[in-house]
Amino acid sequence: MTEEVGRPRVPTAAKYHSALKAVIKRAIIVLDALGDSEMRFQNQGQVWNRAINDAALAYGYTEATVRFIPMAREIAQAEIVADWLLWLSNNGGGVLRFVSWAHDEPVWRMAERERCSIRTIYNRMDRSVAALIT
């Protein structure tokens, strides 16, 4: 496994694939941190949780929580990934799978929801990422 001195390493397809998965995961976290200012795309539970958080803030109930505030560069990258996810939802789906994975939902739970094996979940995610690359 020796390589020549001074010769640059060439990234493999597997490294591009894993890097793209990491970018997608980070973008989903950033998009969730931004929230939905118009409240158009949130479901009932998200609206209720936001109302509870606003009420707790109004009445002075504070806890030691750390809030993630994305930087401008992360927001710009997340907007690009949002377009990818939109394309993916129109061409085969799997966006809910990525959102669940980004929020560290156990893979076995995703497999139960989709009624398949854990290996199938990973294969479906890999196929979705490969579709984005091509």
PDB file of all heavy atoms in Angstrom, residues 46-61 63 65:
ATOM      1  N   GLN A  46     -45.420  20.062  14.801  1.00  0.00           N
ATOM      2  CA  GLN A  46     -44.366  21.067  14.775  1.00  0.00           C
ATOM      3  C   GLN A  46     -44.899  22.434  15.177  1.00  0.00           C
ATOM      4  O   GLN A  46     -44.236  23.192  15.885  1.00  0.00           O
ATOM      5  CB  GLN A  46     -43.740  21.131  13.385  1.00  0.00           C
ATOM      6  CG  GLN A  46     -42.933  19.914  13.023  1.00  0.00           C
ATOM      7  CD  GLN A  46     -42.546  19.908  11.567  1.00  0.00           C
ATOM      8  OE1 GLN A  46     -43.303  20.337  10.710  1.00  0.00           O
ATOM      9  NE2 GLN A  46     -41.365  19.410  11.297  1.00  0.00           N
ATOM     10  N   VAL A  47     -46.108  22.770  14.723  1.00  0.00           N
ATOM     11  CA  VAL A  47     -46.715  24.049  15.093  1.00  0.00           C
ATOM     12  C   VAL A  47     -46.986  24.085  16.596  1.00  0.00           C
ATOM     13  O   VAL A  47     -46.733  25.080  17.262  1.00  0.00           O
ATOM     14  CB  VAL A  47     -48.015  24.272  14.289  1.00  0.00           C
ATOM     15  CG1 VAL A  47     -48.756  25.490  14.791  1.00  0.00           C
ATOM     16  CG2 VAL A  47     -47.698  24.417  12.812  1.00  0.00           C
ATOM     17  N   TRP A  48     -47.483  22.972  17.149  1.00  0.00           N
ATOM     18  CA  TRP A  48     -47.762  22.906  18.583  1.00  0.00           C
ATOM     19  C   TRP A  48     -46.483  23.045  19.391  1.00  0.00           C
ATOM     20  O   TRP A  48     -46.440  23.773  20.377  1.00  0.00           O
ATOM     21  CB  TRP A  48     -48.475  21.603  18.895  1.00  0.00           C
ATOM     22  CG  TRP A  48     -48.844  21.453  20.341  1.00  0.00           C
ATOM     23  CD1 TRP A  48     -48.300  20.596  21.228  1.00  0.00           C
ATOM     24  CD2 TRP A  48     -49.817  22.206  21.059  1.00  0.00           C
ATOM     25  NE1 TRP A  48     -48.867  20.745  22.454  1.00  0.00           N
ATOM     26  CE2 TRP A  48     -49.804  21.728  22.384  1.00  0.00           C
ATOM     27  CE3 TRP A  48     -50.684  23.221  20.720  1.00  0.00           C
ATOM     28  CZ2 TRP A  48     -50.636  22.246  23.360  1.00  0.00           C
ATOM     29  CZ3 TRP A  48     -51.522  23.736  21.703  1.00  0.00           C
ATOM     30  CH2 TRP A  48     -51.494  23.253  22.999  1.00  0.00           C
ATOM     31  N   ASN A  49     -45.404  22.359  18.985  1.00  0.00           N
ATOM     32  CA  ASN A  49     -44.142  22.463  19.706  1.00  0.00           C
ATOM     33  C   ASN A  49     -43.591  23.881  19.644  1.00  0.00           C
ATOM     34  O   ASN A  49     -43.033  24.378  20.620  1.00  0.00           O
ATOM     35  CB  ASN A  49     -43.115  21.487  19.132  1.00  0.00           C
ATOM     36  CG  ASN A  49     -43.418  20.059  19.488  1.00  0.00           C
ATOM     37  OD1 ASN A  49     -44.097  19.793  20.468  1.00  0.00           O
ATOM     38  ND2 ASN A  49     -42.945  19.136  18.685  1.00  0.00           N
ATOM     39  N   ARG A  50     -43.751  24.538  18.513  1.00  0.00           N
ATOM     40  CA  ARG A  50     -43.271  25.911  18.395  1.00  0.00           C
ATOM     41  C   ARG A  50     -44.078  26.834  19.303  1.00  0.00           C
ATOM     42  O   ARG A  50     -43.534  27.742  19.933  1.00  0.00           O
ATOM     43  CB  ARG A  50     -43.362  26.364  16.943  1.00  0.00           C
ATOM     44  CG  ARG A  50     -42.787  27.718  16.721  1.00  0.00           C
ATOM     45  CD  ARG A  50     -42.708  28.051  15.264  1.00  0.00           C
ATOM     46  NE  ARG A  50     -42.179  29.384  15.099  1.00  0.00           N
ATOM     47  CZ  ARG A  50     -41.876  29.897  13.949  1.00  0.00           C
ATOM     48  NH1 ARG A  50     -42.017  29.203  12.857  1.00  0.00           N
ATOM     49  NH2 ARG A  50     -41.413  31.121  13.866  1.00  0.00           N
ATOM     50  N   ALA A  51     -45.391  26.609  19.399  1.00  0.00           N
ATOM     51  CA  ALA A  51     -46.231  27.430  20.269  1.00  0.00           C
ATOM     52  C   ALA A  51     -45.847  27.239  21.732  1.00  0.00           C
ATOM     53  O   ALA A  51     -45.795  28.194  22.505  1.00  0.00           O
ATOM     54  CB  ALA A  51     -47.701  27.076  20.044  1.00  0.00           C
ATOM     55  N   ILE A  52     -45.552  26.004  22.114  1.00  0.00           N
ATOM     56  CA  ILE A  52     -45.135  25.737  23.489  1.00  0.00           C
ATOM     57  C   ILE A  52     -43.799  26.408  23.780  1.00  0.00           C
ATOM     58  O   ILE A  52     -43.616  27.026  24.840  1.00  0.00           O
ATOM     59  CB  ILE A  52     -45.058  24.215  23.738  1.00  0.00           C
ATOM     60  CG1 ILE A  52     -46.460  23.625  23.747  1.00  0.00           C
ATOM     61  CG2 ILE A  52     -44.338  23.911  25.048  1.00  0.00           C
ATOM     62  CD1 ILE A  52     -46.485  22.120  23.811  1.00  0.00           C
ATOM     63  N   ASN A  53     -42.859  26.327  22.833  1.00  0.00           N
ATOM     64  CA  ASN A  53     -41.555  26.965  23.027  1.00  0.00           C
ATOM     65  C   ASN A  53     -41.690  28.481  23.130  1.00  0.00           C
ATOM     66  O   ASN A  53     -41.027  29.121  23.946  1.00  0.00           O
ATOM     67  CB  ASN A  53     -40.609  26.599  21.893  1.00  0.00           C
ATOM     68  CG  ASN A  53     -40.203  25.153  21.947  1.00  0.00           C
ATOM     69  OD1 ASN A  53     -40.315  24.504  22.977  1.00  0.00           O
ATOM     70  ND2 ASN A  53     -39.750  24.627  20.820  1.00  0.00           N
ATOM     71  N   ASP A  54     -42.552  29.078  22.302  1.00  0.00           N
ATOM     72  CA  ASP A  54     -42.758  30.529  22.361  1.00  0.00           C
ATOM     73  C   ASP A  54     -43.398  30.933  23.680  1.00  0.00           C
ATOM     74  O   ASP A  54     -43.042  31.953  24.271  1.00  0.00           O
ATOM     75  CB  ASP A  54     -43.619  30.990  21.187  1.00  0.00           C
ATOM     76  CG  ASP A  54     -42.886  30.902  19.862  1.00  0.00           C
ATOM     77  OD1 ASP A  54     -41.644  30.762  19.878  1.00  0.00           O
ATOM     78  OD2 ASP A  54     -43.556  30.966  18.815  1.00  0.00           O
ATOM     79  N   ALA A  55     -44.358  30.146  24.161  1.00  0.00           N
ATOM     80  CA  ALA A  55     -45.006  30.454  25.435  1.00  0.00           C
ATOM     81  C   ALA A  55     -44.019  30.332  26.592  1.00  0.00           C
ATOM     82  O   ALA A  55     -44.011  31.159  27.502  1.00  0.00           O
ATOM     83  CB  ALA A  55     -46.198  29.531  25.654  1.00  0.00           C
ATOM     84  N   ALA A  56     -43.172  29.309  26.540  1.00  0.00           N
ATOM     85  CA  ALA A  56     -42.177  29.145  27.600  1.00  0.00           C
ATOM     86  C   ALA A  56     -41.201  30.306  27.607  1.00  0.00           C
ATOM     87  O   ALA A  56     -40.801  30.795  28.673  1.00  0.00           O
ATOM     88  CB  ALA A  56     -41.428  27.828  27.410  1.00  0.00           C
ATOM     89  N   LEU A  57     -40.845  30.786  26.435  1.00  0.00           N
ATOM     90  CA  LEU A  57     -39.943  31.928  26.344  1.00  0.00           C
ATOM     91  C   LEU A  57     -40.632  33.189  26.859  1.00  0.00           C
ATOM     92  O   LEU A  57     -40.021  34.005  27.558  1.00  0.00           O
ATOM     93  CB  LEU A  57     -39.482  32.112  24.899  1.00  0.00           C
ATOM     94  CG  LEU A  57     -38.491  33.234  24.638  1.00  0.00           C
ATOM     95  CD1 LEU A  57     -37.178  32.946  25.370  1.00  0.00           C
ATOM     96  CD2 LEU A  57     -38.242  33.376  23.159  1.00  0.00           C
ATOM     97  N   ALA A  58     -41.909  33.349  26.544  1.00  0.00           N
ATOM     98  CA  ALA A  58     -42.637  34.540  26.961  1.00  0.00           C
ATOM     99  C   ALA A  58     -42.786  34.612  28.478  1.00  0.00           C
ATOM    100  O   ALA A  58     -42.728  35.693  29.063  1.00  0.00           O
ATOM    101  CB  ALA A  58     -44.018  34.573  26.300  1.00  0.00           C
ATOM    102  N   TYR A  59     -42.969  33.459  29.125  1.00  0.00           N
ATOM    103  CA  TYR A  59     -43.157  33.451  30.563  1.00  0.00           C
ATOM    104  C   TYR A  59     -41.857  33.268  31.335  1.00  0.00           C
ATOM    105  O   TYR A  59     -41.855  33.124  32.544  1.00  0.00           O
ATOM    106  CB  TYR A  59     -44.164  32.366  30.967  1.00  0.00           C
ATOM    107  CG  TYR A  59     -45.564  32.730  30.582  1.00  0.00           C
ATOM    108  CD1 TYR A  59     -46.171  32.124  29.495  1.00  0.00           C
ATOM    109  CD2 TYR A  59     -46.260  33.700  31.280  1.00  0.00           C
ATOM    110  CE1 TYR A  59     -47.460  32.479  29.123  1.00  0.00           C
ATOM    111  CE2 TYR A  59     -47.539  34.058  30.921  1.00  0.00           C
ATOM    112  CZ  TYR A  59     -48.138  33.445  29.834  1.00  0.00           C
ATOM    113  OH  TYR A  59     -49.403  33.797  29.460  1.00  0.00           O
ATOM    114  N   GLY A  60     -40.744  33.275  30.635  1.00  0.00           N
ATOM    115  CA  GLY A  60     -39.457  33.258  31.300  1.00  0.00           C
ATOM    116  C   GLY A  60     -38.948  31.899  31.704  1.00  0.00           C
ATOM    117  O   GLY A  60     -38.022  31.802  32.507  1.00  0.00           O
ATOM    118  N   TYR A  61     -39.539  30.829  31.195  1.00  0.00           N
ATOM    119  CA  TYR A  61     -39.022  29.500  31.485  1.00  0.00           C
ATOM    120  C   TYR A  61     -37.837  29.245  30.565  1.00  0.00           C
ATOM    121  O   TYR A  61     -37.990  29.108  29.360  1.00  0.00           O
ATOM    122  CB  TYR A  61     -40.079  28.420  31.244  1.00  0.00           C
ATOM    123  CG  TYR A  61     -41.280  28.550  32.129  1.00  0.00           C
ATOM    124  CD1 TYR A  61     -42.525  28.798  31.593  1.00  0.00           C
ATOM    125  CD2 TYR A  61     -41.164  28.420  33.506  1.00  0.00           C
ATOM    126  CE1 TYR A  61     -43.634  28.917  32.396  1.00  0.00           C
ATOM    127  CE2 TYR A  61     -42.262  28.531  34.321  1.00  0.00           C
ATOM    128  CZ  TYR A  61     -43.491  28.786  33.761  1.00  0.00           C
ATOM    129  OH  TYR A  61     -44.582  28.904  34.572  1.00  0.00           O
ATOM    130  N   GLU A  63     -34.265  27.038  29.865  1.00  0.00           N
ATOM    131  CA  GLU A  63     -33.478  25.855  30.170  1.00  0.00           C
ATOM    132  C   GLU A  63     -32.117  26.020  29.512  1.00  0.00           C
ATOM    133  O   GLU A  63     -31.933  26.855  28.638  1.00  0.00           O
ATOM    134  CB  GLU A  63     -34.158  24.605  29.619  1.00  0.00           C
ATOM    135  CG  GLU A  63     -35.481  24.300  30.274  1.00  0.00           C
ATOM    136  CD  GLU A  63     -36.129  23.067  29.670  1.00  0.00           C
ATOM    137  OE1 GLU A  63     -35.459  22.378  28.893  1.00  0.00           O
ATOM    138  OE2 GLU A  63     -37.287  22.815  29.976  1.00  0.00           O
ATOM    139  N   THR A  65     -30.395  25.013  27.004  1.00  0.00           N
ATOM    140  CA  THR A  65     -30.383  24.339  25.714  1.00  0.00           C
ATOM    141  C   THR A  65     -29.481  25.110  24.754  1.00  0.00           C
ATOM    142  O   THR A  65     -29.387  26.330  24.821  1.00  0.00           O
ATOM    143  CB  THR A  65     -31.794  24.244  25.104  1.00  0.00           C
ATOM    144  OG1 THR A  65     -32.314  25.563  24.957  1.00  0.00           O
ATOM    145  CG2 THR A  65     -32.711  23.419  25.972  1.00  0.00           C
TER     146      THR A  65
END
